[in-house]
Amino acid sequence: SQQGEEDPQALSIQEGENATMNCSYKTSINNLQWYRQNSGRGLVHLILIRSNEREKHSGRLRVTLDTSKKSSSLLITASRAADTASYFCATDRIYNQGGKLIFGQGTELSVKP
Amino acid sequence: SQTIHQWPATLVQPVGSPLSLECTVEGTSNPNLYWYRQAAGRGLQLLFYSVGIGQISSEVPQNLSASRPQDRQFILSSKKLLLSDSGFYLCAWKVYTEAFFGQGTRLTVV
């Protein structure tokens, strides 16, 4: 069953604007990860946040985690046309056999030049 | 460095034909291996995972099977494809936390 749900499903912004994507999940987790997928390609890992962390930064990316609300957000600042892609959150659940990552439905981001 | 190879990139197969997709990993030992399927415009559905040679766990009942004959080789198979098997298949490996994905195989069953 799907663990994560992202919103919005699609987001269209202008270059230079910030993009915020949200993810909600259902069960307790060890960590939550964000991935990026260019059209028709494999996924690339962006950033990981552990369950005992509340915020993490990596370059233009900022991730927050609220375990009480079982939600996370990914902020991309000063977006560029090259940021156009689909973004997925993935959860690594507690007592997880096989280290499985369960992915949400994704947010399709379009950054217009 | 670690790399993952997945082939073929695209495949068109008739209904009822067999399927074999292969994935190999280089540069790591005893990885956890995964097969995901992605329908158009949707998220990833976990199909199978493996924590070691010959150890396969299935996440959803379906027309597909998986095998791991070697430590770094993961194969997705079907004896008879259905139209509903069409999709984008992704292989991934994971040792600690983050997963590394292959480039995917776009399968169209006609």
Side-chain angles (χ1 to χ4, degrees):
Chain A
S1 61
Q2 292 298 120
Q3 166 79 322
E5 296 289 338
E6 284 100 331
D7 76 86
Q9 290 188 342
L11 181 61
S12 182
I13 59 174
Q14 294 293 131
E15 232 176 4
E17 295 180 339
N18 295 342
T20 300
M21 290 160 268
N22 303 296
C23 169
S24 60
Y25 57 92
K26 296 175 183 175
T27 62
S28 297
I29 60 172
N30 292 314
N31 63 70
L32 184 144
Q33 304 177 32
W34 285 90
Y35 288 78
R36 168 194 168 125
Q37 183 183 33
N38 287 350
S39 180
R41 306 298 297 272
L43 278 72
V44 175
H45 181 265
L46 293 176
I47 193 167
L48 176 151
I49 187 165
R50 300 188 187 281
S51 61
N52 61 353
E53 297 175 311
R54 292 297 167 257
E55 187 171 314
K56 204 161 183 181
H57 296 255
S58 176
R60 292 185 296 114
L61 304 180
R62 173 177 167 252
V63 171
T64 62
L65 179 65
D66 186 334
T67 52
S68 66
K69 296 181 179 177
K70 292 187 169 56
S71 67
S72 172
S73 68
L74 171 68
L75 169 67
I76 304 174
T77 60
S79 63
R80 306 165 182 169
D83 294 327
T84 295
S86 293
Y87 293 82
F88 296 88
C89 68
T91 51
D92 184 343
R93 293 175 291 183
I94 289 178
Y95 309 121
N96 179 8
Q97 282 190 313
K100 298 173 289 187
L101 289 178
I102 304 300
F103 286 81
Q105 295 297 308
T107 293
E108 193 172 332
L109 174 65
S110 174
V111 182
K112 302 186 186 309
Chain B
S1 63
Q2 303 93 342
T3 55
I4 180 168
H5 302 281
Q6 185 182 344
W7 68 93
T10 60
L11 192 59
V12 180
Q13 292 284 101
V15 169
S17 64
L19 173 74
S20 180
L21 301 180
E22 188 164 344
C23 171
T24 59
V25 179
E26 295 178 2
T28 187
S29 295
N30 198 30
N32 288 348
L33 295 172
Y34 309 88
W35 278 110
Y36 288 88
R37 178 169 59 199
Q38 186 178 31
R42 303 295 303 277
L44 279 70
Q45 180 185 37
L46 180 62
L47 301 177
F48 300 96
Y49 69 93
S50 172
V51 299
I53 296 174
Q55 299 179 62
I56 307 295
S57 296
S58 173
E59 285 292 292
V60 292
Q62 61 204 306
N63 184 42
L64 302 168
S65 62
S67 62
R68 185 170 178 175
Q70 300 179 45
D71 181 44
R72 288 172 282 182
Q73 183 185 28
F74 205 22
I75 298 172
L76 184 69
S77 304
S78 173
K79 292 182 179 178
K80 289 185 177 181
L81 284 169
L82 307 172
L83 287 174
S84 57
D85 292 324
S86 293
F88 190 51
Y89 289 83
L90 288 156
C91 177
W93 70 269
K94 182 168 171 279
V95 174
Y96 295 112
T97 52
E98 66 183 271
F100 297 89
F101 284 82
Q103 290 302 300
T105 296
R106 180 147 324 269
L107 172 66
T108 304
V109 183
V110 297

